[in-house]
Amino acid sequence: MRSVEEICKEAKEAKYSLGILGTDEKNDIILSCADELEKNAETVVSANAIDIKNADEKGISPAMKDRLLLTRERISAIASGMRQVAALPDPIGEMIAMWTRPNGLQIGQKRVPMGVIGVIYEARPNVTADVFSLCAKTGNVTILKGGSDAIHSNKAMADIFRAVLKSKGYNENYVSLIENTDRAATTEFMKMDSYVDLLIPRGSAGLIQSVKTNATIPVIETGTGNCHIFVDESADFDMALNIIENAKTQRIGVCNAMESLVVHEKIAADFFPLLEKRLKKYDLRYFADEKAINGFKEKDVLPATDCDFGTEYLDYKMSVKTVANIDEAIAHINRYNTGHSEAIITESYANAQKFLNEIDAACVYVNASTRFTDGGEFGFGAEIGISTQKLHARGPMGLKALTSTKYIIYGNGQTRP
């Protein structure tokens, strides 16, 4: 087993040859890896079965188990996402701007690879393929540090990708998996700033905070999602119920699932009974303020604490808040959100625009489910994460978010006076 430093050193050496590959070569790598992933689906599913068995023994939650699970269908979807990445325009080499100075110097700004991108993630083996394809397309070497829960699944996929690279005459270190699952190895990886250009954590709030605290490598924070839906007084009830059901229950363990519901008090008495009826089959637990509690019929609602309003449940639970107007709704959401995805259901153009303008989040929706915050749904093929910070990248991170720029300057003998 290679040490963490060996992996990082070899990745830095590999970045120079990957960074100069042409678009056709990079696409060939991605498409060949997608094909081999599908051909070897049974191998990956068998490896995943070991991870699932270990997860069952640990008693992990259904939501986390769903994140971990790989099936032939899911592997086909992962391969399809890789092919979509290959089909996208290559941003590397794009000239963002070019101008001429009075002294005749021509200055241009050009997109270039970051170099070596490290990703630390938990029980999401699909991340292994998503990250590799996005990084390969942008000429970036990938170092993957998955969690112990998915180690067999991640290794099976990384081995397939490395074998393809080797068979086609490329450096197999264009992608590497740190197989050591000890926490000490993760902490060591966070300090590899001599070799790694960018570090992206994907997972729980605890993981993200640990990386932010310990890393000496520049970090892009990808986020937990305390996502809200505000049902305005003008909302179409059928639309609102459909969107809430989708956003909350389609997949409870994902960061773009709705966790918090905000309802205008003028419609609360009519809306809450309909909400209870629609979601009854999911056996949801509600944590609500006093006005909301009074609006529910079955009275199986618990009083909400300040902590409840700020929780990413990843479960069949939600907080519920009633508000007197849109200003109160916006203030509540901006106080408790995590900068991920927020939505308003309304027939008022003025309120829609106010919500779009004043909500502080990476993605803000009008009359649509928060579940669309996803690289594939945005047309990126896949995503390397959903950034909830404001520096460099924000929201679903596709190809351009994985590039840097450099200035190129043409002269004809100029010297500075």
Side-chain angles (χ1 to χ4, degrees), residues 248-358:
K248 181 59 197 173
T249 68
Q250 187 200 35
R251 288 189 70 183
I252 59 171
V254 291
C255 60
N256 56 19
M258 187 201 81
E259 303 287 14
S260 300
L261 178 66
V262 183
V263 178
H264 198 291
E265 63 182 21
K266 288 185 178 179
I267 61 169
D270 295 323
F271 185 74
F272 285 134
L274 296 174
L275 178 73
E276 275 187 302
K277 183 178 180 181
R278 172 64 74 91
L279 301 183
K280 187 176 180 61
K281 60 187 174 184
Y282 301 105
D283 195 26
L284 271 164
R285 295 184 67 188
Y286 302 92
F287 301 87
D289 65 5
E290 185 176 351
K291 290 181 180 178
I293 289 175
N294 293 333
F296 283 86
K297 298 296 184 184
E298 297 187 8
K299 305 303 181 186
D300 56 350
V301 186
L302 298 175
T305 65
D306 195 64
C307 180
D308 290 323
F309 288 130
T311 296
E312 181 190 34
Y313 292 105
L314 303 175
D315 200 349
Y316 288 107
K317 301 175 181 177
M318 73 164 76
S319 67
V320 184
K321 172 70 174 177
T322 53
V323 294
N325 51 55
I326 189 171
D327 289 311
E328 188 180 345
I330 290 170
H332 177 83
I333 293 170
N334 281 341
R335 176 181 177 185
Y336 292 102
N337 79 359
T338 52
H340 197 293
S341 301
E342 312 299 336
I344 183 173
I345 315 301
T346 185
E347 295 297 304
S348 166
Y349 177 79
N351 283 356
Q353 294 306 116
K354 183 178 179 67
F355 194 85
L356 289 172
N357 290 335
E358 297 183 22

Side-chain angles (χ1 to χ4, degrees), residues 8-81:
C8 294
K9 184 178 180 181
E10 290 167 352
K12 182 176 181 178
E13 292 169 353
K15 77 178 183 180
Y16 299 107
S17 61
L18 177 54
I20 60 173
L21 291 183
T23 301
D24 290 344
E25 294 170 296
K26 293 185 291 186
N27 287 345
D28 180 51
I29 289 171
I30 297 167
L31 293 172
S32 297
C33 286
D35 290 344
E36 284 301 307
L37 182 62
E38 280 201 296
K39 288 179 185 176
N40 293 277
E42 287 303 325
T43 300
V44 178
V45 169
S46 296
N48 181 251
I50 300 172
D51 292 328
I52 292 294
K53 180 176 181 293
N54 292 338
D56 286 336
E57 291 173 356
K58 293 178 182 177
I60 68 167
S61 69
M64 294 305 295
K65 184 175 177 179
D66 178 64
R67 286 187 173 197
L68 177 61
L69 178 66
L70 289 176
T71 62
R72 286 192 65 89
E73 292 74 22
R74 288 189 177 186
I75 290 170
S76 291
I78 291 168
S80 177

Side-chain angles (χ1 to χ4, degrees), residues 220-228 255-256 333-334 336-343 355-366 369-370 372-375 378 380 383 385-398 401:
I220 289 183
E221 181 180 351
T222 64
T224 54
N226 182 23
C227 303
H228 297 72
C255 60
N256 56 19
I333 293 170
N334 281 341
Y336 292 102
N337 79 359
T338 52
H340 197 293
S341 301
E342 312 299 336
F355 194 85
L356 289 172
N357 290 335
E358 297 183 22
I359 288 293
D360 186 11
C363 301
V364 187
Y365 294 84
V366 175
S369 171
T370 56
F372 285 105
T373 302
D374 174 85
F378 276 31
F380 302 158
E383 70 189 32
I386 298 171
S387 171
T388 55
Q389 65 180 39
K390 297 181 182 180
L391 295 178
H392 170 62
R394 196 179 192 194
M397 294 173 59

